[in-house]
Amino acid sequence: MKKYVYSFGGGSADGDGKMKDVLGGKGAGLAEMSRAHLPVPPGFTISTEVCNLYFQSGNKVPPEVDQQTSEALGELEQQMGQKLGDAQNPLLVSVRSGAKFSMPGMMDTILNLGLNDQAVQSIERRSGNPRFAQDCYRRFIQMFGNVVLEIEKHDFDQIFDARKKKTGAKFDTDLTAEDLKAIIVDYKKLVEKKTGKPFPQEARQQLAMARDAVFRSWNGKRAITYRRMNQIPDNLGTAVNVQTMVFGNLGDTSATGVGFTRNPSTGEKAFYGEFLVNAQGEDVVAGIRTPQPISELEKAMPQVYGQLREITGNLEKHYRDVQDFEFTVQEGKLYMLQTRNGKRTGPAAVRIAVDMVKEKLITKQEGVLRVDPQQLDQLLHPVLDAEAKKSLKLLATGLPASPGAAVGRVVFTADEAVVQAPKGPVILVRAETVPDDIHGMEVAKGILTSRGGMTSHAAVVARGMGIPCVAGAGELEVNERRKELVVNVNSKKLMLREGDWISLDGSTGEVFAGQARTIDADPSSGVLATFMGWADEFRGKFGVRANADIPRDAKAARRFGAEGIGLCRTEHMFFAEDRIPFMQAMILARDEKTRRKTLAKLLPMQRADFAGLFKEMDGFPVVIRTLDPPLHEFLPKRENLMVDLARLPHADSKTKKEMSQRYGLPVGQLRKELPVLLARVEELHEFNPMLGHRGCRLGVTYPEITEMQARAIFEAAVQVTKKGVKVIPEVMIPLVGGVKELENQKKIVVEVAAEVLEKANMKDLKYMVGTMIEIPRAALTADQVATQADFFSFGTNDLTQTTMGLSRDDYTKFQKDYEKAKIFDNDPFAVLDQEGVGKLIEMAVELGRQARRDLEVGICGEHGGEPSSVQFCYRAGMNYVSCSPYRVPIARLAAAQAVISGDKSEAMRTA
């Protein structure tokens, strides 16, 4: 018969610490501690497999599970000399969850199971402590009633609090045995009222019901949410641990507590935890009473404290990791109830890994693998002071689009942000951002939008700039016209106006009213520098670059360890206030001669931009993408123009002045020029601009644009090279669907390069011309495209859209439905779709390298900073990944972990 139930305790166990898949983390820890002869109350674990069988069988366990449970219970009763539900010498047990991965507080627990009206009298007689017995019974009825019978905890609390008020009890411990008996009577009345049945008295029935409730809690709302947040598979299931009760509430010689072998917040090698005298485990975590620091246990119970330090120290050495433990002291005797690898913050994870390597507990390789790359976010951005959060009003929780903390005054337009930023910090609040907002985004301390997703414009640009951003906070109603932000908080409407203080936590998505304190991050931390140095040792030749558009971003990228720029978006440079008029004039031009005239004014500006990037990236490659967005994005919105044209005949002088500033036109020319502007906007209007006249298609229609940008690139390269800076330019042509488009644009770039370099006598300056693979056809014909490309860079934002037929801006409207229906495991714009988009990438890499063995291959979409996507890129044979500057350390660590894990494509990468 297949084994489903595993016993532990008494110096032996059916399982061991390696069986987390079967026993869950808690069960595996109990088995391992039992085998080590530690003081573990005996019990048994019902395996995680039974959880899945329970749901598959219509919320029933198979008969063989009931049989094995009964046998294990019989052995436990014999071992303890007690019997579950016995009126004379009752056995009491706890029933607790325990999944493979720690999910603290997400599933259910029942303590003191086995008590009934007869058993409580026996406990009272045997302990000689009536209050203790009645306290255990009232706790059991409350927990069982809430967890198993699904009665609101609030209903029990009302009864309990009413009794405290009636007796004048300040603390729970002030209630007498008689008070607790009265509470029990009322609890039982509540149960019968809510369920229509008396509280169950048969102990084995209680056990079966509690077991099933713990299984059901695996699919509880909070457990599902936690798994989604932490990417824990839904099919793992939870084990159920049935363990003999030990009691920390037997008086002043008894206690209960939780702790860590090191500080889980800072990583400091210090004993960390809390305990309560005369309490049960739930009291410590429920906040009913204020626990004492675990260091105080040394004074209260010195012998127990010494034993606890010795046991937990040995556990840390045994598991070679920080241990999160639970313990109970019953009348002076210590019992260990749990040990598991402890969860920790990002700063703590890095410090613990470095310290344990230095202590020779683990190897460097193990240390690098110990830290979740995403945790590094916490070390790289300012964070809100946790204590400060408590005093602020939470307005909403949106998507944590760009990490870090931001505190400032609300502004609703990019222009106002520019005006107000010199006076103090501002937060740009928009329904959604557009490329025109770039100047305001640049000066804002943070960005908040009520619409958009993790890869929306606001999110992508904010991450690139290292600006905290909360996107898609749908609870907020942003009225940009009235300059108001409205939200319902506790059924009350709260309004913030321009100039009011607001605080964002881009790491959690929380939005607070008011001015919070922030704590600065230190990216040059000695511990972090040491750790990242180890990661780079293992990463080897697998490169990490940054997406950066301006020298400031490039400087930040180098500070975070980027080995070049993998994407410079030249269009962002054109949105600057001093350049947009020239860009608009170029677009409005009706002939090539006029266009070239305006492009000549943009040339020195672009040249200066590129020179700044080359200077910051001395000796590292810089990939510059030629103009990508459709031209209408540089012009005023069609709807706004139509409204202003309608208002113009009736506008007063103030309104006309505002229009003049908005469109960069003299007041006297508004009547003549606005219709011309609207006509051009109408002409450029597209039904599907994402697939319209943009990218290389613009260069084919207007080759002079590509020519100007190429000239700016190579003139900047010459200029900077003369100053002793090593320049490695890589020109990237976007939105190529086939080899002929690339051939057309490459010809222009090569001709301009030859002219500029020959004139400067720098013919030996090395450069590359390649393309962004973001259209499925380019991937499918990659062998042809590679004949003209020196490199491929996968633009996975658009490649995901075009492959899946899914708009990243509109997907957010039904994203939750898809996640709930489990159609997508992850947001495909945040985590690369390896089954679909990934197959195209692998195909393109293979085809490209068949045509050109030395083809350089990288990725420059947002996926370049997401750990699982980085690991895929390594397996696919890419040379590098590129991401926003503040995600560079994350990508470096993910890359190192990918290399350590091994890869079949190394031969392709180094060919």
Side-chain angles (χ1 to χ4, degrees), residues 503-519:
S503 301
L504 309 181
D505 190 331
S507 301
T508 65
E510 293 170 308
V511 182
F512 297 92
Q515 187 176 4
R517 292 190 306 274
T518 60
I519 301 170

Side-chain angles (χ1 to χ4, degrees), residues 331-359:
E331 297 182 316
K333 184 174 180 180
L334 174 68
Y335 293 92
M336 299 301 298
L337 305 183
Q338 172 179 287
T339 191
R340 61 187 175 192
N341 292 341
K343 290 187 175 294
R344 64 212 76 173
T345 65
V350 171
R351 179 169 177 177
I352 290 166
V354 171
D355 284 352
M356 285 191 167
V357 170
K358 291 180 177 177
E359 293 164 22

Side-chain angles (χ1 to χ4, degrees), residues 64-216:
E64 56 267 36
V65 174
D66 279 328
Q67 180 184 336
Q68 291 183 31
T69 301
S70 181
E71 291 170 357
L73 178 60
E75 292 173 6
L76 179 61
E77 289 174 331
Q78 186 175 3
Q79 182 179 354
M80 298 303 298
Q82 298 172 307
K83 192 171 182 180
L84 192 70
D86 186 65
Q88 301 305 315
N89 189 13
L91 172 69
L92 303 187
V93 296
S94 63
V95 181
R96 307 170 81 189
S97 62
K100 177 182 179 180
F101 299 107
S102 175
M103 296 172 56
M106 297 301 111
M107 292 180 288
D108 290 327
T109 293
I110 298 100
L111 303 180
N112 307 320
L113 188 141
L115 278 171
N116 55 28
D117 293 346
Q118 287 73 41
V120 71
Q121 294 175 22
S122 174
I123 296 291
E124 186 171 318
R125 288 193 307 270
R126 295 175 70 85
S127 67
N129 188 337
R131 191 197 179 283
F132 157 71
Q134 299 302 328
D135 186 43
C136 288
Y137 197 20
R138 73 91 187 164
R139 288 172 184 268
F140 172 53
I141 295 173
Q142 179 169 344
M143 295 181 86
F144 192 93
N146 175 233
V147 171
V148 181
L149 303 178
E150 299 180 355
I151 301 169
E152 290 292 330
K153 184 176 180 294
H154 173 72
D155 295 340
F156 291 102
D157 289 341
Q158 278 189 321
I159 294 170
F160 193 81
D161 292 340
R163 189 70 187 184
K164 282 176 69 176
K165 186 175 181 181
K166 183 178 179 179
T167 61
K170 184 177 180 182
F171 301 107
D172 297 356
T173 48
D174 293 336
L175 292 170
T176 66
E178 293 305 312
D179 293 327
L180 293 169
K181 284 181 181 179
I183 290 170
I184 289 166
V185 170
D186 289 340
Y187 275 6
K188 287 159 76 175
K189 287 179 182 177
L190 174 65
V191 169
E192 190 155 6
K193 178 183 176 183
K194 292 289 185 179
T195 66
K197 298 176 184 178
F199 185 80
Q201 295 290 306
E202 209 286 307
R204 292 201 173 218
Q205 181 192 7
Q206 294 173 357
L207 179 58
M209 293 173 71
R211 172 201 63 198
D212 293 353
V214 171
F215 283 146
R216 287 196 300 275

Side-chain angles (χ1 to χ4, degrees), residues 4-69:
Y4 293 111
V5 180
Y6 297 76
S7 295
F8 60 83
S12 65
D14 295 341
D16 59 38
K18 297 176 183 176
M19 296 177 63
K20 289 184 181 180
D21 286 329
V22 176
L23 303 177
K26 192 188 302 289
L30 289 168
E32 191 75 359
M33 286 195 294
S34 297
R35 293 166 73 92
H37 298 277
L38 296 181
V40 174
F44 54 88
T45 300
I46 304 171
S47 74
T48 57
E49 185 179 354
V50 179
C51 181
N52 289 320
L53 291 173
Y54 173 81
F55 290 117
Q56 292 164 14
S57 305
N59 287 15
K60 293 179 182 178
V61 299
E64 56 267 36
V65 174
D66 279 328
Q67 180 184 336
Q68 291 183 31
T69 301

Side-chain angles (χ1 to χ4, degrees), residues 430-433 449-453 456 458 470-474 478 480 812-813:
R430 305 279 278 156
E432 58 187 351
T433 64
T449 69
S450 60
R451 295 198 293 267
S456 63
V470 175
V478 177
E480 292 157 0
T812 56
K813 296 174 183 175

